[in-house]
Amino acid sequence: MMTLLVTALRFLFLVLLVVILYVLVRWMVSDLRRVSLDLPEQDPAEGKTGAGALPTREGRDRGAAGLVVLAGDLPGLKEGDSFSCGAGELLIGRSEHNQVVITGAYASARHARLYYHDGQYWLEDLESTNGTYINDSKLVLPIVLADGDMIRIGKVTFQFVRWTYEVGPDH
C-alpha cells in the first residue's frame, strides 16, 4: 500500500512539473513575440533605422513615422540619417539612453520625446533648458505632428515624416 502511495505521489509530481514547464515555455514565447513586434528594424551597418527599412507590423498598421536629419553636422548624427518611431516612442537628447543622441551643447540629457497616442504622433519637450522648436515656434505643450513638420533641437533640424504603405500586411 505504501509503495502505491509513493508511486502516485511521484506521478503527480511529474505531472505538476510538466505543467509548470509548459506554462513557463508558453509565457517566454509570448513575451519574445511581443518584444519582437515592439522593436524597430535596425540597419546593422549604422546601428540605427535606415530610411528604406520597413517598420514593424504595429507601425504598418498605424502608418509608421520617424525623424530625418535635415541639418546638423555632429559626431554620430549626419544629414540624411533617419530614426523610426517603430516602438511607439522616440527619446531625443544628449544621454546615451535616448534613441536619438545629440552630442551638441544645446541639448539636454532628456530633451524631447516623439510618441504615438490616440492615432496620432505627438512631440513633447521634456523640460529642456534650451527648448524644442517646431516650425520655428517654441514648443510649450505637447503638440500633434503633421507630415513635414520641422523640429529643431539645438543646432540640429529634423523633419517629421509619416510613411504610409498601400500594400497590406499580407503582401
Side-chain angles (χ1 to χ4, degrees):
M1 180 72 170
M2 187 67 151
T3 309
L4 183 61
L5 181 62
V6 170
T7 304
L9 287 175
R10 285 181 179 171
F11 179 73
L12 285 174
F13 179 74
L14 183 62
V15 168
L16 182 63
L17 187 62
V18 168
V19 168
I20 289 171
L21 286 174
Y22 173 76
V23 169
L24 182 64
V25 167
R26 190 169 171 189
W27 171 73
M28 289 180 354
V29 168
S30 69
D31 193 46
L32 285 173
R33 285 185 182 150
R34 181 186 54 81
V35 169
S36 70
L37 289 177
D38 290 346
L39 292 175
E41 295 184 21
Q42 297 290 312
D43 181 357
E46 295 186 28
K48 55 188 124 177
T49 306
L54 292 175
T56 61
R57 184 171 76 189
E58 181 182 274
R60 281 194 302 266
D61 292 344
R62 64 177 177 232
L67 297 176
V68 177
V69 178
L70 292 182
D73 193 20
L74 298 171
L77 195 62
K78 303 288 183 214
E79 189 176 321
D81 285 349
S82 63
F83 301 89
S84 174
C85 191
E89 181 178 73
L90 197 61
L91 293 173
I92 307 164
R94 196 174 58 237
S95 170
E96 294 179 10
H97 300 289
N98 297 302
Q99 289 90 358
V100 181
V101 178
I102 300 175
T103 56
Y106 298 104
S108 298
R110 284 188 59 151
H111 198 99
R113 79 177 181 130
L114 185 150
Y115 62 97
Y116 184 78
H117 180 69
D118 287 338
Q120 297 175 327
Y121 284 92
W122 293 74
L123 180 66
E124 175 183 20
D125 184 80
L126 300 176
E127 299 179 12
S128 63
T129 304
N130 294 309
T132 302
Y133 292 83
I134 179 160
N135 300 325
D136 293 325
S137 297
K138 188 169 185 175
L139 183 63
V140 178
L141 296 172
I143 189 169
V144 174
L145 291 172
D147 187 39
D149 279 344
M150 301 297 182
I151 300 164
R152 185 170 47 85
I153 296 174
K155 294 184 178 184
V156 180
T157 302
F158 299 95
Q159 181 176 23
F160 175 74
V161 180
R162 185 154 186 179
W163 298 288
T164 55
Y165 294 92
E166 295 181 19
V167 178
D170 56 335
H171 286 63

